[in-house]
Amino acid sequence: MLKSNPSAQSSEATRRGAVGRSARAEAIYRSVFNAVVDQRLPPGAKLAEEQLGAIFDASRTIVRSALEALAHDHIVTIERHRGAFVSAPSVADAQDIFFSRKVVESAVAREVARRIGPADVAKLRALLAEEREALQRGERQKAIRLSGAFHVAVAAICGEGALTEFLRGLISRSSLVIALYGRGPASTCGHDEHLDFVDALEARDGERAAAAMAEHLDHIFDDLALAAQGDAPVDIAAILRP
Ligand SMILES: [Zn+2]
């Protein structure tokens, strides 16, 4: 019934992301997405269809479908007659995104503290060990990605449902905010704060975990320099070439 309705099917495909895209469009999506989240591709950078087509040896139709999927996920903004750009969240967007994370992740922390088991704790600690190693080696992009993965992994303890998907979107948008307003190397998640948070979860202390998460997100937000940034020229081909 619902399955025989083409529009319901296509919206389902959009929601699931990769399902509705060709393998090549998916590769472009991943490449741009990772470059943005890793902060190699800055907010405001223009993503010309023709240039992307040349970089990935793909048709305009395929490039367009990748860009539309990125726009759906708020990573790219498509402006009529001007083309596609890496989204540049405003100060108000930044406040909104971090406020949303605080509300969602504090509530998630309380629930996770009730549900968490030894295997979950071990998984979170393994992620933190990887994060510490990346920080010690000065691999900032990897550390940023692992920090995001840590926050998603916490939510996933409640199940891989709508909440985790919603949080994944908020976290990728936060990476854009940090790319735009971060003050440099210090603007990543505090590793020690992640450790304190896991200790609270392991102790099944929901209130302490919720408070630790709220404080952690406040620290990241307070560390942002919320003023407009300049536009530096960007070599898209060097950043994205597979
Ligand atoms: Zn964090």
Side-chain angles (χ1 to χ4, degrees), residues 101 105 131 147-148 150-151 188-190 193-194 213 216-217 220:
R101 281 192 63 177
E105 294 191 63
E131 182 190 45
S147 294
F150 170 78
H151 285 260
T188 48
C189 279
E193 292 184 354
H194 283 175
M213 181 51 78
H216 173 54
L217 291 169
I220 301 173

Side-chain angles (χ1 to χ4, degrees), residues 44 58 116 153 224:
I116 198 163
L224 301 173

Side-chain angles (χ1 to χ4, degrees), residues 176-191:
L176 268 177
V177 167
I178 293 169
L180 191 58
Y181 300 111
R183 296 185 198 190
S187 286
T188 48
C189 279
H191 178 71

Side-chain angles (χ1 to χ4, degrees), residues 28-46:
I28 298 172
Y29 177 98
R30 275 292 134 213
S31 184
V32 173
F33 184 92
N34 287 338
V36 169
V37 171
D38 290 348
Q39 305 180 347
R40 286 178 283 127
L41 200 52
K46 180 160 172 68

Side-chain angles (χ1 to χ4, degrees), residues 113-199:
R114 286 189 336 110
R115 297 196 195 188
I116 198 163
D120 300 314
V121 173
K123 194 179 162 195
L124 294 180
R125 293 210 184 277
L127 266 175
L128 292 187
E130 266 191 87
E131 182 190 45
R132 186 180 55 225
E133 204 173 301
L135 285 169
Q136 280 169 349
R137 287 188 185 161
E139 296 170 335
R140 183 168 184 256
Q141 286 166 7
K142 191 175 175 189
I144 291 169
R145 197 189 292 209
L146 287 166
S147 294
F150 170 78
H151 285 260
V152 173
V154 169
I157 294 170
C158 293
E160 270 286 348
L163 189 68
T164 305
E165 199 178 310
F166 176 60
L167 195 57
R168 204 172 262 132
L170 278 178
I171 288 169
S172 59
R173 294 173 74 188
S174 314
S175 295
L176 268 177
V177 167
I178 293 169
L180 191 58
Y181 300 111
R183 296 185 198 190
S187 286
T188 48
C189 279
H191 178 71
D192 291 344
E193 292 184 354
H194 283 175
L195 280 176
D196 291 344
F197 176 67
V198 174
D199 288 345

